[in-house]
Amino acid sequence: MSVAFVGRRTELDALASLVRRARLERAPTAALITGEPGSGKSSLLGELLRRAAPLQTIRVAGFEPMQAVPLAAVADLIRHLAKAPGDGAVLDRLVFRGPEAEDRDPLRIFEAAHRALASEGPMLIAIDDLQWVDERSLALIHYVLRA
């Protein structure tokens, strides 16, 4: 069952405007939604993602019990990028298919993710519960934003 999104029009409009500007300027952009627990931040983010079509969107979510697992928060992003033409196969091999003894060098993973993302075109990466995102996932997001 879907619930209608109510309120937060000013914030939603500001975020939608930021997404439009980022697409026009073809530049990475970041926004931070803050507030008390239960104030509707996740709902606002979800509504933004629903309205972002046809832009590709990926939701990254931190989860406290998974905070110690490297790349746990960006697992959906990595799975998506691993299917991208070209460097997606490199990313897939580095993260999922390589021999167990193969070095899981973060820089190689980050660069393969960046190249796969570049081949995918514009994408909205939304992060929910940032405080619980693991360090390696934060590093990957930082890398692709700067690259």
Side-chain angles (χ1 to χ4, degrees), residues 90 92-95 97-105 108:
V90 174
D92 183 65
R93 182 181 51 76
L94 288 171
V95 177
R97 308 273 181 243
E100 292 301 318
E102 184 178 4
D103 182 25
R104 302 274 195 252
D105 178 25
R108 292 177 65 204

Side-chain angles (χ1 to χ4, degrees), residues 108-123:
R108 292 177 65 204
I109 292 170
F110 292 2
E111 185 59 24
H114 159 63
R115 290 174 186 223
L117 183 59
S119 72
E120 286 282 287
M123 181 180 293

Side-chain angles (χ1 to χ4, degrees), residues 11-138:
E11 294 93 338
L12 184 58
D13 289 346
L15 290 167
S17 175
L18 186 66
V19 170
R20 280 191 301 277
R21 192 174 84 222
R23 289 186 74 190
L24 286 173
E25 295 174 3
R26 300 181 54 80
T29 305
L32 181 64
I33 303 169
T34 63
E36 294 297 318
S39 64
K41 299 178 302 292
S42 294
S43 295
L44 177 61
L45 189 59
E47 185 64 18
L48 176 67
L49 292 174
R50 278 188 287 284
R51 294 181 182 197
L55 183 64
Q56 287 189 85
T57 63
I58 294 285
R59 190 174 197 148
V60 171
F63 183 55
E64 185 179 12
M66 297 296 287
Q67 197 172 21
V69 180
L71 301 173
V74 293
D76 288 342
L77 174 63
I78 290 173
R79 279 191 287 275
H80 176 84
L81 294 176
K83 296 174 188 170
D87 285 288
V90 174
L91 181 61
D92 183 65
R93 182 181 51 76
L94 288 171
V95 177
F96 300 116
R97 308 273 181 243
E100 292 301 318
E102 184 178 4
D103 182 25
R104 302 274 195 252
D105 178 25
L107 183 57
R108 292 177 65 204
I109 292 170
F110 292 2
E111 185 59 24
H114 159 63
R115 290 174 186 223
L117 183 59
S119 72
E120 286 282 287
M123 181 180 293
L124 173 60
I125 301 172
I127 306 169
D128 199 5
D129 288 327
L130 179 64
Q131 73 276 16
W132 301 125
V133 174
D134 62 277
E135 286 185 27
R136 186 78 44 98
S137 291
L138 286 175

